[in-house]
Structure formats: structure tokens, C-alpha cells
Amino acid sequence: MQHGPAVRRRKLGAELRALRTGAGFTSGEAAQMVGWHQSKVSRIETGASGVKPADVRLLLDAYSVRDSQLRELLLVLAGPDEGGGRHHWWHAYRGVLPPTYRDFISLESQASTMRTLETSVVPGLLQTPEYARAVTKAAVDGLDDERLDALVEVRLARQDVLRTHPPLELSAVLDEAVLRREVGGPEIMARQLARLVEAARLPQVRLQVLPFTAGAHIGITGPFVVFSFSSTSDLDVVVLDHLTSSLYLERKEDLQAYTEAFNTLQFHALSPEDSLDYIAATGGGV
């Protein structure tokens, strides 16, 4: 269990090593091809040191990697180019966002599917502006209006992943407490529930409610997110969010455990159709 940047370096290094061996090169041959010392290739592949996107491009070109989706994903794992870029819009908010949040957004922007258990609040990708503002103000103490506005802007900008082509496929299990907790007052909450009903009808969104009557469940210890990537399952990751940081789990055993936990939660939750009716009856309209 490690912080995001270390996990990303290890994942990137392992993938680059696999691509090198698949292309039939030794680390020494790869280093010679791009004009480096062999130790640099070794440090990158073991995750001992970071690597610039420009260097990743050199290696990918040397290994004749043409898969555009895989290339983009590995470049995201490497981090931003100097000056950022249109695919890294969140770097305009570097002064506002902690590194772990930037890591989360970068993974979210490249994932093909996202499975999430929420036990307290509506998933960020489905929040209304007013709800997002109320949640952010409550979660981060002492925010001035300018910083609060910026964090809400980021929350709303993240939602574009549901409108891209292809869109992120979102599966969310919501504890009933998410629907009952009155965030921002009754009017804001009513609009938020209506937004959930609207989102539940999107083909790329699967919402299920876990009612109180389900009793104790496997997710009672807290929320989590599982990101999956279409290019390779080796880059899948579990994210556990804490008050001051996020932790990333990448071991196959952890991924399997959380995937099975999510499947169990879906089994015990209401069906998507019944969940939509449940949200509407709670106050989300029809």
C-alpha cells in the first residue's frame, strides 16, 4: 500500500520493461538505442526514479509501440510535460490541488471503467454545482471563496469524462445514507437527487442503492474506487481516500479482493431499475 506517485512509477516501469522484453531488447541495447546509460533504463523499470514523458516517448518509439491508447496512458502515468497540455487540464490548478488529488484525476481521465462504493456523499462525477460547493466547504476547513470556487470548478470539470467518446463507464453503489444526508439544505439536496435520477438513465452509468435494510455489509469499513484500463489490466488500481491523503493498492490480491467486494455489494443492492425508483421516491422526482 503506497502513495500514488510511487505506485504510478512502479506500474510505468513494469509496463516499459514488458514492452522492452517483448520487443526483444536487453536493457543495455535499449539504453544504447536512445543514448542513455543502462542504469537509467534500470532505474526507470524498477520505479526507483521518475521519468519525463519525453523519455517515455523515446522508449516507446524504440520499442515500436504504436497503440495510441497505451501510449497515452503510459504518458499520463509519467506525469505532465513542461507547461502541461490539453490532456492535463488539472495542472492549471496545481496551486490548489494536493498531489494525491492530481494523481486521482489523471487516473480517472484515462480509465475505461470506474467502480465505486460511496457511503457518505454523492460521487464527485455526479454532483451538482451547489452540492459540490457544500461538500467541499464542509470537507476542507478555512477555505476562502477563491480557493473554494477553484475546487468546485475542478469537481465539475472532472465530469467531462462521462461525456467523452468513449465515455468512462461508471458503476456506483450508494449506501442509503448518501441519499438521506441533507447536504446544503433541502432544496440543494432535492436538485441533487434529481440529478442522480437523470444520471441513472445514462447508458454509461450504473447506479445501485444499498438500503439500510441490507444491514451490515462488506463495504461498511469505508468507500473505495477501482479504476480499470482497457489497454492492460496490469494498470488497474484501487484507491482508498482518507482525510489528508489517498492510498493506492496495486497488488493482484488487493485488486481481486476489492473487485469481489464490489460484486458482493452489487448483489445485495437494489437493481438499477429499483434504485432509480428508490432515489426518486426519496425526493429526486421522476
Side-chain angles (χ1 to χ4, degrees):
M1 191 157 50
Q2 301 184 36
H3 291 284
V7 170
R8 288 168 54 150
R9 286 198 305 270
R10 287 182 56 191
K11 285 182 175 293
L12 176 59
E15 189 65 20
L16 289 173
R17 182 172 60 251
L19 290 171
R20 173 179 60 76
T21 57
F25 301 122
T26 66
S27 59
E29 290 169 337
Q32 187 174 19
M33 291 169 65
V34 297
W36 298 345
H37 193 280
Q38 182 179 354
S39 62
K40 180 174 180 177
V41 174
S42 298
R43 289 196 304 271
I44 289 172
E45 291 185 351
T46 59
S49 65
V51 54
K52 296 178 181 179
D55 289 342
V56 172
R57 291 189 187 94
L58 281 176
L59 292 174
L60 295 178
D61 290 343
Y63 305 155
S64 299
V65 177
R66 301 288 178 256
D67 185 327
S68 60
Q69 190 172 25
L70 178 58
R71 288 177 66 99
E72 176 64 20
L73 178 57
L74 296 180
L75 289 170
V76 167
L77 290 177
D81 281 306
E82 302 233 347
R86 67 183 184 88
H87 295 301
H88 305 124
W89 58 265
W90 54 91
H91 292 293
Y93 297 88
R94 290 182 69 90
V96 178
L97 305 179
T100 51
Y101 193 13
R102 295 200 300 268
D103 284 338
F104 183 91
I105 296 173
S106 68
L107 291 172
E108 181 181 72
S109 71
Q110 291 300 312
S112 58
T113 64
M114 175 179 176
R115 288 163 286 178
T116 180
L117 166 69
E118 291 290 351
T119 58
S120 298
V121 297
V122 170
L125 295 182
L126 304 178
Q127 292 179 6
T128 65
E130 299 88 353
Y131 185 97
R133 188 176 186 85
V135 166
T136 304
K137 189 172 183 178
V140 185
D141 189 39
L143 283 177
D144 57 43
D145 288 342
E146 183 178 358
R147 187 177 174 86
L148 177 59
D149 289 343
L151 288 172
V152 173
E153 286 177 13
V154 169
R155 184 68 56 91
L156 299 179
R158 283 174 48 204
Q159 298 177 3
D160 284 344
V161 295
L162 295 176
R163 296 184 285 268
T164 56
H165 298 286
L168 174 74
E169 295 184 7
L170 172 65
S171 293
V173 173
L174 310 182
D175 191 278
E176 185 174 346
V178 173
L179 310 181
R180 301 294 180 183
R181 179 168 287 103
E182 195 173 271
V183 174
E187 293 184 1
I188 289 177
M189 196 63 201
R191 287 193 290 272
Q192 178 60 74
L193 292 174
R195 167 64 180 138
L196 284 179
V197 171
E198 176 186 339
R201 295 186 173 124
L202 296 174
Q204 67 270 36
V205 176
R206 178 186 176 94
L207 286 185
Q208 292 181 256
V209 174
L210 194 63
F212 289 147
T213 53
H217 53 77
I218 197 170
I220 205 166
T221 55
F224 62 86
V225 174
V226 181
F227 285 122
S228 296
F229 301 87
S230 58
S231 297
T232 171
S233 62
D234 289 339
L235 294 175
D236 292 358
V237 64
V238 176
V239 184
L240 304 178
D241 208 17
H242 296 270
L243 182 60
T244 57
S245 66
S246 296
L247 294 175
Y248 295 67
L249 289 73
E250 60 172 338
R251 297 186 311 164
K252 290 184 178 180
E253 310 94 278
D254 295 324
L255 287 164
Q256 181 177 353
Y258 277 88
T259 297
E260 291 176 355
F262 190 79
N263 292 340
T264 299
L265 290 165
Q266 285 188 310
F267 177 79
H268 290 290
L270 300 176
S271 69
E273 296 76 20
D274 289 342
S275 294
L276 193 153
D277 293 338
Y278 201 87
I279 295 170
T282 302
V286 293

